[in-house]
Amino acid sequence: MRIDLNADLGEGFGVWRLGEDESLLEVITSANVACGFHAGDPPTMRRVCAAAVDRGVAIGAQVGYRDLYGFGRRDIGIDPADLAADVLYQLGALDACAQAAGGAVRYVKPHGALYNAAVDDRTKADAIASAVAAFDRSLPLLALPASAMEDAAHAAGLPFVAEAFADRAYLPNGRLLPRSEPGAVVDDPYDVVARAAAFALHHRVTTTDGSVLPVEPRSLCVHGDTPGAVYLAGEIRRTLVDAGVTLAPFTS
Amino acid sequence: MRIDLNADLGEGFGVWRLGEDESLLEVITSANVACGFHAGDPPTMRRVCAAAVDRGVAIGAQVGYRDLYGFGRRDIGIDPADLAADVLYQLGALDACAQAAGGAVRYVKPHGALYNAAVDDRTKADAIASAVAAFDRSLPLLALPASAMEDAAHAAGLPFVAEAFADRAYLPNGRLLPRSEPGAVVDDPYDVVARAAAFALHHRVTTTDGSVLPVEPRSLCVHGDTPGAVYLAGEIRRTLVDAGVTLAPFTS
Amino acid sequence: MRIDLNADLGEGFGVWRLGEDESLLEVITSANVACGFHAGDPPTMRRVCAAAVDRGVAIGAQVGYRDLYGFGRRDIGIDPADLAADVLYQLGALDACAQAAGGAVRYVKPHGALYNAAVDDRTKADAIASAVAAFDRSLPLLALPASAMEDAAHAAGLPFVAEAFADRAYLPNGRLLPRSEPGAVVDDPYDVVARAAAFALHHRVTTTDGSVLPVEPRSLCVHGDTPGAVYLAGEIRRTLVDAGVTLAPFTS
Amino acid sequence: MRIDLNADLGEGFGVWRLGEDESLLEVITSANVACGFHAGDPPTMRRVCAAAVDRGVAIGAQVGYRDLYGFGRRDIGIDPADLAADVLYQLGALDACAQAAGGAVRYVKPHGALYNAAVDDRTKADAIASAVAAFDRSLPLLALPASAMEDAAHAAGLPFVAEAFADRAYLPNGRLLPRSEPGAVVDDPYDVVARAAAFALHHRVTTTDGSVLPVEPRSLCVHGDTPGAVYLAGEIRRTLVDAGVTLAPFTS
């Protein structure tokens, strides 16, 4: 049994920092590196890519809306062709940083409001997939399964990799309970670790109505924006390793 | 005898347009495409790259300071490592657009205040050269000869290609007379065409003190920001062709 | 009988220009000046304000989403408190420029996607109105009548001024036919002038189903982004003046 | 005896935070609020202004270069008229936020590279002063004394208020030792507190060559970007209060 742990990295901008990149790199196996549109800047991208290559952590392009002020968390009514161009631009920019560090972009994961939009909005999902296909048809999309993103990946001939969220409540249909709803985020760390183990070992999650949903993610998304979050991610890692799960990039 | 004609393209941003890209592509052989930092945006970059590929015009990365408001024309006291990262980012972004159009970035030319700074400032020139070398050591730098940029290219193991400006006054030492000085720009179109011919056919230019300076450029920089400029560029092209000069990208 | 003619001004950014500001100032009586978020920059704002004061044209704050790349034409899922702060910021910034030119901001008109959103979205309309009220409760909102914006103005205790569009098709309910629909924009210049006269003289417009809708606008919105648009605006002005209509700012 | 303590506040952007604004407001008497060009955003500006008004802390406009990525710490070769417009814009924007909170902008202090440039560059200092004078001729400039900024303030008819830095080494001519030099920043907290007391009580500072320079600042600049910095600022406050110094805004 094996699984990947992915997390968002390089989400500062200029003097501003966000998240515990260095600590997180000791825990995860895939780094979703911000590409400068919702966060991230070229020196940070080079530094994070170099650190990821040093540790054998896979580099993914965390592409987002062009919205530093809103951190890519606000939906934008962007034209699909513009979105595709924005994604292609970010892919190329990060890949240059990754290649200069001896690595390469190995997968693509949309960020924030773009991720959420692409769960249900096939037009946006297709725009993202078309950009990835134009860049490198062998790059997988990492996203929520049974989504417009998965359909778009298949339609574009791209590999698709399903991820799961141990700290988010799931609806019976496999969608995440929106953050605006009470109970959307699982607060109890023991519960989060248990849900991570259920995903990795038993390929299932208990949904908001108590039903058990089969989910077989190849990657779990963890967070690192606070010291507590990094600690929790470490606990997930330790629990999985102790249970005999191999942690490795899904791209290897 | 052969020479290249290069010009800046794709220098709009969002709804704003600058220059006569379509007309200019009929005249030039190399397009310095803006990469989004001083001008340019991803959809424009894709469109310009596709148009250049269609016409057999070589694509170059016109890298600049991150300064849309100042159009990259204001010097910025940037840290050299940050500058190198900014250049690498722009190179990767444009190359993704060029590759998606069936082309590739074939050379690098700094823009505006960065170009001017890199004529004399070896630290900045080295930062640019290091980024190009990290991206692709076979990419030539296109710039003013006998400059810090030429030295930096040689030191980094990069090819260097000299360009000349038919509409700018030259000092006896080969530097351009700064734009702030009277007579810096040659206004008479006949004079500009004559100087272009002198560069291409006789490898020389008459400087501000009347002396004749030997210059053997492999490319001439022309402008296209007004209909008049495009017409003048076309006149230069016609004059050179009539004189038996082959116009072709220096990269071919 | 009197009416105001309003138009968008100062919508360039840095080196980029958009619209025929100087010509338009000879035609209109109220200038919606871009405030730097969707377009406009401080030197342009000062210049446009000075020119407006010189000609007795009223200065209005054309507030927009923070989206230079999209020119404020894309809807953004912004938090209402953030939107209110963004509007307040733009009001203060423009008023400083207007005061320095011997004028002042006299009214507020949202731009582009924000204008469209505030026609129906009461939350966004309230956010705009709350910012205007916090700045100066005597400033009128200029917008489409019978809209969420009108309701929000009344609720916030702000004056409301109705405008009309001579070049846009109206639905029977008084809303504009969306630009995505065929026939949304009235192309025939004679038709546009006739509709302007109908608004100003007869307080009515013929809607898409042929019915006649009573509309009594205190201002007509005209455009100036092309020489043709400025000419058309001038024709509207001449026609109204010939018909005995007094053209003056609604704020006077 | 009385003195003011000033510090930079509101220097985050979007999701990013910098500095301990809340804690610092308990220590200082004047808040230099970032205006959105080098840092700061409208919601943050409103929040910081409201908090300052609540505590009787004076609000100053911390105007900077338009350079979020460089945090205003990089010199930019900006045209003086553009700089004046940028400063005026920031003043108006912050004043709107301050007025909405029941306060007002009471003084102006340039930030970072703009502050440093305006110490010696009279053209930039004049541009800043002209903008302040155009906004409100009664607003004082807060800056290093015996500088181009002081001269520019006098020439523009603006009040000038001298500040001093307890944690920076002074050259015998009253300039600060550049940060690039060893010893530029005084690291020992006891030493910093002692220097603050020497400024406030004895109106003097010991310079890099051991000489004693008379300096009579009406304000001391303190820092709050780390918990340690806030603690140190609190120690300065306690020491001065214990020595019988009244701490109050210089504007009151």
Side-chain angles (χ1 to χ4, degrees), chain C residues 21-119:
Chain C
D21 286 2
E22 294 302 311
S23 307
L24 206 54
L25 279 167
E26 305 297 332
V27 173
I28 62 173
T29 48
S30 289
N32 317 316
V33 183
C35 299
F37 271 46
H38 76 279
D41 57 61
T44 300
M45 290 160 67
R46 293 192 76 169
R47 192 168 52 240
V48 172
C49 285
V53 168
D54 276 353
R55 288 166 181 81
V57 170
I59 296 169
Q62 188 195 357
V63 296
Y65 286 131
R66 186 197 279 259
D67 181 18
L68 289 169
Y69 176 43
F71 197 60
R73 288 183 174 157
R74 314 181 304 185
D75 200 47
I76 298 181
I78 190 174
D79 175 84
D82 291 351
L83 174 57
D86 283 4
V87 169
L88 179 63
Y89 182 101
Q90 293 177 71
L91 282 174
L94 180 64
D95 195 54
C97 297
Q99 299 272 0
V105 169
R106 298 294 183 200
Y107 66 94
V108 179
K109 176 178 171 178
H111 166 81
L114 182 57
Y115 186 101
N116 292 337
V119 167

Side-chain angles (χ1 to χ4, degrees), chain C residues 35 42-43 66 82 85-86 89 92, chain D residues 35 42-43 45 66 82 85-86 89 92:
Chain C
C35 299
R66 186 197 279 259
D82 291 351
D86 283 4
Y89 182 101
Chain D
C35 299
M45 290 161 66
R66 186 197 278 258
D82 290 351
D86 282 5
Y89 182 101

